[in-house]
Amino acid sequence: MIGGGLFLRYLDPWFVEFVRVKAFDAYNRMEPREPDPAARVVPGAKVVIVDIDEKSLARIGQWPWPRTVVADLIAALRDYGVGVIGFDVVFAEPDRTSPGRIAETLRGAGPEVTGQLKALPSNEEVMAETMRTMRVVMGQASSNSAAVTAPTETAKYTSVRAHLGTLGATDTDPRQYLFRKPTLVHNLEVLEGSASGLGFFSVEEEVDGVVRRVPLVMEIAGVVKPTLSVEMLRVGFSGNSIVTVVDPGGMHEIRLQTPGGNFPIPVDGRGRLWVYYAEPDNFNTPNNSGRLYISAADILDGTVPKERLQGTLALVGTSAVGLLDIRATPIEPRLPGVEVHANILENILEQNFVRYPFTMVLWEMIAIFVAGVALIVFVPRVGPVVTLAGLLVAGGGIAATSWYLFIEEKIFLDVSYPAGMVFAVYAVLAFSNYARDAAEKRQVRGAFSQYLSPDLVEQLAENPDQLRLGGETKKMTLLFCDVRGFTTISESFRADPQGLTRLINRLLTPLTNEILTRQGTIDKYMGDCIMAFWNAPLEDERQEAHACEAALAMFASLEALNEERRKEAEEGGFTFLPLNIGIGINTGECVVGNMGSDQRFDYSVLGDAVNLASRLEGQSKSYGVGTVIGDGTAASVRDELPVAELDLIAVKGKTEAVRIFTILGGPELREGADFATLLADHDAMLAAYRAKRFDEAEALIGRCEGQLDGVLDGFYAIYRERIAIFREEPPPEDWDGVFIATSK
């Protein structure tokens, strides 16, 4: 469960992210940003919102206003000494009140009147002329609609776009991490041609509709564009480039470079800024006494004190509800969209950000792992109640640390998902603990109710530890032996089940004798399978050698048995089906002792080494050999027996690769020159194969085949097949030669 929780956090699906961002919202509400003009990178830099509010609509008329009125607003802001203007609105369509447009709609006017009207400049031209006297950044809106036309980038802005570069992993294309939109709602060309900069003002709402992370850079219609806020800073401070800092995991910073210095902006992997919101400004204050909002009507009337606007970064937007630019944010469920951009500008100017670096993700996963392991250790030992108390204390400490990091370091450490995951693990463990206790009590009552008094039964039920069985951990060698093709053999005895039983007994008896003769212990019979082990209950200093010698002797006994059965078949005139076996041997640490239920137990062995021995037996047929032994066994017997390596394999049920070997024969074979020759060629073939030198490996296979009477020819045939497959589908560059087993 812990692994699943960690994997889920790594995948980070929407519901995990949903819990995290809600935690961020809570932190932002409890500790909102305190605007501090004195702490800004550029001394005296201020942000204001030129508000197209209800008062302005009542004073001037419904939106959209004639472009000549907008031109007057730009001129008024210029005269007030505003540093840069950014429009959080888009002028996508021609003004219907332009003289030429009016001339087209007049009825009964003579040619002289209409000609005079058409000769006048359009309202857009008037606005564009005024824009050329002021630093103006035009806003654009991204769109998913295929009906929206793509923007025409003029040469003036192509150079600006070229400044969007990357630092860090310079061979990593930053575009792969950006949000993409197919089309753009852009301004009329005459207006964009007169602007000092262009920036998109679209914000990406999250799964819950809240605006808390805003892309600062986005690819729209194939063009990488900065957001309105960043472009206003670039234009306002004569910046020459906007640079993304990228590493293989994604973006982590965007830098605005200006003659007066750089503005580093921390972002998430997709170029989004976690907006750190201040308390909402009141846009209905009398006499424009709020922190941000100034009515556009008052600016046009000239009633605003000059010092209120001089040198500011002015965002032109709307708080009017009817104009549909109201957003849900962590700090306020109904906030004018233009105030989102104002918060971004203040974040950057004050360098006051909430950061969520990737290291925090690692700490969250570490917390889940450590707490989960602690629960696994403590719940069964000290009980759920004491563990819960400790969990609450530890959880409170982590929550306090998270809060400290937020208010002091402005680092967001999410504790919501780790807390939920840890308590889920606790619930499962607590339930399992109670269920196990209840099951033990039921088992004791059922087992002893006929033999003990009710009082004693209840005592045993309340203290089942009195019946626990013990064991010891020690190094052991395990052997598994199984009959190959047993299904086919058993089908031939369908009409004679007693005959099948006699055959199995006839097989298992000599095989068992070979094990017992060499100090082995028979653990159990599982149908046609034998499980045996060495070094318990008696110590055996040559446990690995005895197990391997038993395997060789078992094949010799099997050969003798098959010869007897062949003669019997010839004499009796029935079909002879030879018996074949596969053997797996492995050495490792195991737990051995009396194991089973409280009513019936066996002297048996458990451990990962046991499972691996069973898997090795299953692979003997796959490698065309009779016996497969593990690395530890081979290391102990290679000086006594002829051992050859087979493969690096990840057996089914294990992720780590193990090195496996086979035994070619008895000690006399190891001393011969033929074995040394074969072993040299064999090892060279494996080295060439793992180095992906398949031609060389295949040539060495040709040299090995037939040696020692072809004892490994079946094995080499398998490698020829692998090489043929790899020639058609080459392994990946990081392939380490490990074969992944798909069957037991």
Coordinates of all heavy atoms in Angstrom, one line a residue, residues 661-715:
F661 N 23.5 -20.5 -13.1 CA 24.5 -21.4 -13.6 C 23.9 -22.8 -13.8 O 22.8 -23.0 -13.4 CB 25.7 -21.5 -12.7 CG 26.4 -20.1 -12.4 CD1 25.8 -19.2 -11.6 CD2 27.6 -19.8 -13.0 CE1 26.5 -18.0 -11.3 CE2 28.2 -18.6 -12.8 CZ 27.7 -17.7 -12.0
T662 N 24.7 -23.7 -14.4 CA 24.3 -25.1 -14.5 C 25.5 -25.9 -14.2 O 26.7 -25.5 -14.3 CB 23.7 -25.4 -15.9 OG1 23.2 -26.7 -15.8 CG2 24.8 -25.3 -17.0
I663 N 25.3 -27.2 -13.9 CA 26.3 -28.2 -13.6 C 26.4 -29.1 -14.8 O 25.4 -29.7 -15.2 CB 26.0 -29.0 -12.3 CG1 25.7 -28.1 -11.2 CG2 27.2 -29.8 -12.0 CD1 25.1 -28.8 -10.0
L664 N 27.6 -29.2 -15.4 CA 27.7 -30.0 -16.6 C 28.0 -31.5 -16.3 O 27.9 -32.3 -17.2 CB 28.9 -29.4 -17.5 CG 28.7 -28.0 -17.9 CD1 29.8 -27.6 -18.8 CD2 27.3 -27.8 -18.5
G665 N 28.5 -31.8 -15.1 CA 28.8 -33.2 -14.8 C 29.5 -33.3 -13.5 O 29.4 -32.4 -12.6
G666 N 30.2 -34.4 -13.3 CA 30.9 -34.7 -12.0 C 32.3 -34.1 -11.9 O 32.7 -33.4 -12.9
P667 N 33.0 -34.3 -10.8 CA 34.3 -33.6 -10.6 C 35.3 -34.0 -11.7 O 36.2 -33.2 -12.0 CB 34.7 -34.1 -9.2 CG 33.4 -34.5 -8.5 CD 32.5 -35.0 -9.6
E668 N 35.2 -35.3 -12.2 CA 36.2 -35.7 -13.2 C 36.1 -34.9 -14.4 O 37.1 -34.7 -15.1 CB 36.0 -37.2 -13.5 CG 34.7 -37.6 -14.2 CD 33.4 -37.5 -13.3 OE1 33.6 -37.4 -12.1 OE2 32.3 -37.6 -13.9
L669 N 34.9 -34.4 -14.8 CA 34.8 -33.6 -16.0 C 35.5 -32.2 -15.8 O 36.1 -31.7 -16.8 CB 33.3 -33.4 -16.3 CG 33.0 -32.5 -17.6 CD1 33.5 -33.2 -18.8 CD2 31.5 -32.3 -17.7
R670 N 35.4 -31.7 -14.6 CA 36.0 -30.4 -14.4 C 37.6 -30.4 -14.6 O 38.2 -29.4 -15.0 CB 35.7 -29.9 -13.0 CG 36.3 -28.5 -12.7 CD 36.0 -28.2 -11.2 NE 36.6 -26.9 -10.9 CZ 37.9 -26.7 -10.7 NH1 38.8 -27.7 -10.7 NH2 38.4 -25.4 -10.5
E671 N 38.2 -31.6 -14.4 CA 39.6 -31.6 -14.5 C 40.1 -31.8 -15.9 O 41.3 -31.7 -16.2 CB 40.2 -32.8 -13.6 CG 39.7 -32.8 -12.1 CD 40.2 -31.5 -11.5 OE1 41.3 -31.0 -11.8 OE2 39.5 -31.0 -10.6
G672 N 39.2 -32.0 -16.9 CA 39.6 -32.3 -18.2 C 39.9 -31.0 -19.0 O 39.3 -29.9 -18.7
A673 N 40.8 -31.1 -20.0 CA 41.1 -29.9 -20.9 C 39.9 -29.5 -21.7 O 39.8 -28.3 -22.0 CB 42.3 -30.3 -21.7
D674 N 39.1 -30.5 -22.1 CA 37.9 -30.1 -22.9 C 37.0 -29.1 -22.2 O 36.4 -28.2 -22.8 CB 37.2 -31.4 -23.3 CG 38.0 -32.2 -24.2 OD1 38.9 -31.7 -24.8 OD2 37.6 -33.4 -24.3
F675 N 36.8 -29.3 -20.9 CA 36.0 -28.4 -20.1 C 36.6 -27.0 -20.1 O 35.8 -26.0 -20.3 CB 35.8 -28.9 -18.7 CG 35.1 -27.9 -17.8 CD1 33.7 -27.6 -18.0 CD2 35.8 -27.3 -16.8 CE1 33.1 -26.7 -17.2 CE2 35.2 -26.3 -16.0 CZ 33.8 -26.0 -16.2
A676 N 37.9 -26.9 -19.9 CA 38.5 -25.6 -19.8 C 38.3 -24.9 -21.2 O 38.1 -23.6 -21.2 CB 40.0 -25.7 -19.5
T677 N 38.5 -25.6 -22.3 CA 38.3 -25.0 -23.6 C 36.9 -24.5 -23.8 O 36.6 -23.4 -24.3 CB 38.7 -26.0 -24.7 OG1 40.0 -26.5 -24.5 CG2 38.5 -25.4 -26.1
L678 N 35.9 -25.3 -23.4 CA 34.5 -24.9 -23.6 C 34.2 -23.7 -22.7 O 33.5 -22.8 -23.1 CB 33.6 -26.1 -23.2 CG 32.1 -25.8 -23.2 CD1 31.6 -25.3 -24.5 CD2 31.3 -27.0 -22.7
L679 N 34.7 -23.8 -21.5 CA 34.4 -22.7 -20.5 C 34.9 -21.3 -21.0 O 34.2 -20.3 -20.9 CB 34.9 -23.0 -19.2 CG 34.5 -22.0 -18.0 CD1 33.0 -22.1 -17.9 CD2 35.2 -22.4 -16.7
A680 N 36.1 -21.3 -21.6 CA 36.7 -20.1 -22.1 C 35.8 -19.5 -23.3 O 35.5 -18.3 -23.3 CB 38.1 -20.3 -22.6
D681 N 35.5 -20.4 -24.2 CA 34.6 -19.9 -25.4 C 33.2 -19.5 -24.9 O 32.6 -18.6 -25.4 CB 34.5 -21.1 -26.4 CG 35.8 -21.3 -27.1 OD1 36.7 -20.4 -27.1 OD2 36.0 -22.4 -27.7
H682 N 32.7 -20.3 -23.9 CA 31.4 -20.0 -23.4 C 31.3 -18.7 -22.7 O 30.4 -17.9 -23.0 CB 31.0 -21.2 -22.4 CG 29.7 -21.0 -21.7 ND1 28.5 -21.5 -22.3 CD2 29.3 -20.4 -20.6 CE1 27.5 -21.2 -21.5 NE2 27.9 -20.6 -20.5
D683 N 32.3 -18.4 -21.8 CA 32.3 -17.1 -21.1 C 32.5 -15.9 -22.1 O 31.9 -14.8 -22.0 CB 33.4 -17.1 -20.1 CG 33.1 -18.0 -18.9 OD1 31.9 -18.4 -18.8 OD2 34.0 -18.3 -18.1
A684 N 33.3 -16.1 -23.1 CA 33.5 -15.1 -24.2 C 32.2 -14.8 -24.9 O 31.9 -13.7 -25.3 CB 34.6 -15.5 -25.1
M685 N 31.5 -15.9 -25.2 CA 30.2 -15.7 -25.9 C 29.2 -14.9 -25.1 O 28.6 -14.0 -25.6 CB 29.6 -17.1 -26.2 CG 28.3 -17.1 -27.0 SD 26.8 -16.8 -26.0 CE 26.7 -18.3 -25.0
L686 N 29.1 -15.2 -23.8 CA 28.2 -14.4 -22.9 C 28.6 -12.9 -22.9 O 27.8 -12.0 -22.9 CB 28.2 -15.0 -21.5 CG 27.5 -16.3 -21.4 CD1 27.6 -16.8 -20.0 CD2 26.0 -16.2 -21.8
A687 N 29.9 -12.7 -22.8 CA 30.4 -11.3 -22.7 C 30.1 -10.6 -24.0 O 29.7 -9.4 -24.0 CB 31.9 -11.3 -22.5
A688 N 30.3 -11.2 -25.2 CA 29.9 -10.6 -26.5 C 28.4 -10.3 -26.6 O 28.0 -9.3 -27.1 CB 30.4 -11.5 -27.6
Y689 N 27.6 -11.3 -26.1 CA 26.2 -11.1 -26.2 C 25.7 -9.9 -25.3 O 24.9 -9.1 -25.8 CB 25.6 -12.4 -25.7 CG 24.1 -12.4 -25.4 CD1 23.1 -12.4 -26.4 CD2 23.6 -12.2 -24.1 CE1 21.8 -12.4 -26.1 CE2 22.3 -12.1 -23.8 CZ 21.4 -12.2 -24.8 OH 20.0 -12.1 -24.5
R690 N 26.2 -9.8 -24.1 CA 25.8 -8.7 -23.3 C 26.3 -7.4 -23.8 O 25.8 -6.3 -23.4 CB 26.3 -9.0 -21.8 CG 25.5 -10.1 -21.2 CD 26.1 -10.6 -19.9 NE 25.4 -11.8 -19.4 CZ 25.9 -12.7 -18.5 NH1 27.1 -12.5 -18.1 NH2 25.2 -13.7 -18.2
A691 N 27.4 -7.4 -24.5 CA 27.9 -6.2 -25.1 C 27.3 -5.8 -26.4 O 27.7 -4.9 -27.1 CB 29.5 -6.2 -25.3
K692 N 26.3 -6.6 -26.8 CA 25.5 -6.5 -28.1 C 26.4 -6.7 -29.3 O 26.1 -6.1 -30.4 CB 24.8 -5.1 -28.1 CG 23.8 -4.9 -27.0 CD 23.0 -3.6 -27.1 CE 23.8 -2.5 -26.6 NZ 23.0 -1.3 -26.5
R693 N 27.5 -7.4 -29.2 CA 28.3 -7.8 -30.3 C 27.7 -9.2 -30.8 O 28.3 -10.2 -30.5 CB 29.8 -7.9 -29.9 CG 30.3 -6.6 -29.4 CD 31.9 -6.6 -29.3 NE 32.4 -7.7 -28.5 CZ 32.6 -7.7 -27.2 NH1 32.4 -6.6 -26.6 NH2 33.1 -8.8 -26.6
F694 N 26.6 -9.2 -31.4 CA 25.9 -10.4 -31.7 C 26.5 -11.3 -32.7 O 26.4 -12.5 -32.7 CB 24.4 -10.1 -32.1 CG 23.7 -9.4 -31.0 CD1 23.1 -8.2 -31.2 CD2 23.6 -10.0 -29.7 CE1 22.3 -7.5 -30.2 CE2 22.9 -9.3 -28.7 CZ 22.3 -8.1 -29.0
D695 N 27.2 -10.7 -33.7 CA 27.9 -11.5 -34.7 C 29.0 -12.3 -34.0 O 29.2 -13.5 -34.3 CB 28.5 -10.6 -35.8 CG 27.4 -10.0 -36.7 OD1 26.3 -10.5 -36.7 OD2 27.7 -8.9 -37.3
E696 N 29.8 -11.6 -33.1 CA 30.8 -12.3 -32.4 C 30.3 -13.4 -31.5 O 30.8 -14.5 -31.5 CB 31.6 -11.3 -31.6 CG 32.8 -12.0 -30.8 CD 33.5 -10.9 -29.9 OE1 33.3 -9.7 -30.1 OE2 34.2 -11.4 -29.0
A697 N 29.2 -13.1 -30.9 CA 28.5 -14.1 -30.0 C 28.1 -15.3 -30.8 O 28.3 -16.5 -30.3 CB 27.4 -13.5 -29.2
E698 N 27.5 -15.1 -31.9 CA 27.0 -16.2 -32.7 C 28.2 -17.1 -33.2 O 28.0 -18.3 -33.3 CB 26.2 -15.7 -33.9 CG 25.3 -16.8 -34.6 CD 24.3 -16.2 -35.5 OE1 24.6 -15.2 -36.1 OE2 23.1 -16.7 -35.5
A699 N 29.3 -16.4 -33.6 CA 30.4 -17.2 -34.0 C 31.0 -18.1 -32.9 O 31.3 -19.2 -33.1 CB 31.5 -16.3 -34.5
L700 N 31.0 -17.5 -31.7 CA 31.4 -18.3 -30.5 C 30.5 -19.4 -30.2 O 30.9 -20.5 -29.8 CB 31.6 -17.4 -29.3 CG 32.8 -16.4 -29.4 CD1 32.7 -15.3 -28.4 CD2 34.1 -17.2 -29.2
I701 N 29.2 -19.2 -30.4 CA 28.2 -20.3 -30.2 C 28.6 -21.5 -31.2 O 28.5 -22.7 -30.8 CB 26.8 -19.8 -30.5 CG1 26.3 -18.9 -29.3 CG2 25.8 -21.0 -30.6 CD1 25.0 -18.3 -29.5
G702 N 28.9 -21.2 -32.4 CA 29.3 -22.2 -33.4 C 30.5 -23.0 -32.9 O 30.6 -24.2 -33.1
R703 N 31.4 -22.3 -32.2 CA 32.6 -23.1 -31.7 C 32.2 -23.9 -30.5 O 32.8 -25.0 -30.3 CB 33.7 -22.1 -31.3 CG 34.3 -21.4 -32.5 CD 35.2 -20.2 -32.1 NE 36.2 -20.6 -31.1 CZ 37.2 -19.8 -30.6 NH1 37.2 -18.6 -31.0 NH2 38.0 -20.3 -29.7
C704 N 31.2 -23.5 -29.7 CA 30.9 -24.2 -28.5 C 30.0 -25.4 -28.8 O 30.1 -26.4 -28.0 CB 30.2 -23.3 -27.5 SG 31.2 -21.9 -26.8
E705 N 29.2 -25.3 -29.8 CA 28.3 -26.4 -30.0 C 29.0 -27.7 -30.4 O 30.0 -27.7 -31.1 CB 27.3 -26.0 -31.2 CG 26.3 -25.0 -30.8 CD 25.5 -24.5 -32.0 OE1 26.0 -24.5 -33.1 OE2 24.3 -24.1 -31.8
G706 N 28.5 -28.8 -29.8 CA 29.2 -30.1 -30.0 C 30.2 -30.4 -29.0 O 30.6 -31.6 -28.9
Q707 N 30.8 -29.5 -28.3 CA 31.8 -29.8 -27.3 C 31.2 -30.5 -26.1 O 30.1 -30.3 -25.8 CB 32.5 -28.5 -26.8 CG 33.3 -27.8 -27.9 CD 34.1 -26.6 -27.4 OE1 34.8 -26.8 -26.4 NE2 34.1 -25.5 -28.0
L708 N 32.0 -31.4 -25.5 CA 31.6 -32.2 -24.4 C 30.3 -33.0 -24.8 O 29.3 -33.0 -24.0 CB 31.4 -31.4 -23.1 CG 32.6 -30.7 -22.5 CD1 32.2 -29.9 -21.3 CD2 33.7 -31.6 -22.3
D709 N 30.3 -33.5 -26.0 CA 29.2 -34.3 -26.5 C 27.9 -33.5 -26.6 O 26.8 -34.0 -26.4 CB 28.9 -35.5 -25.6 CG 30.1 -36.5 -25.6 OD1 30.8 -36.6 -26.6 OD2 30.4 -37.1 -24.5
G710 N 28.0 -32.2 -26.8 CA 26.9 -31.3 -27.0 C 26.0 -31.2 -25.8 O 24.8 -31.0 -25.9
V711 N 26.7 -31.1 -24.6 CA 25.9 -31.1 -23.4 C 25.1 -29.7 -23.2 O 24.1 -29.7 -22.6 CB 26.9 -31.2 -22.2 CG1 27.9 -30.1 -22.1 CG2 26.1 -31.3 -20.9
L712 N 25.6 -28.7 -23.9 CA 24.9 -27.4 -23.8 C 24.3 -27.0 -25.2 O 24.0 -25.8 -25.4 CB 25.9 -26.3 -23.4 CG 26.2 -26.3 -21.9 CD1 27.3 -25.3 -21.6 CD2 25.0 -26.1 -21.0
D713 N 24.1 -27.9 -26.1 CA 23.6 -27.5 -27.4 C 22.2 -26.9 -27.3 O 21.8 -26.0 -28.1 CB 23.7 -28.7 -28.4 CG 25.1 -29.0 -28.9 OD1 26.0 -28.3 -28.4 OD2 25.3 -29.9 -29.7
G714 N 21.4 -27.5 -26.5 CA 20.0 -26.9 -26.3 C 20.1 -25.5 -25.8 O 19.3 -24.6 -26.2
F715 N 21.0 -25.2 -24.9 CA 21.2 -23.8 -24.4 C 21.6 -22.9 -25.5 O 21.1 -21.8 -25.6 CB 22.2 -23.9 -23.3 CG 22.7 -22.6 -22.8 CD1 22.0 -21.7 -22.0 CD2 24.0 -22.1 -23.3 CE1 22.5 -20.5 -21.6 CE2 24.5 -20.9 -22.9 CZ 23.7 -20.1 -22.1

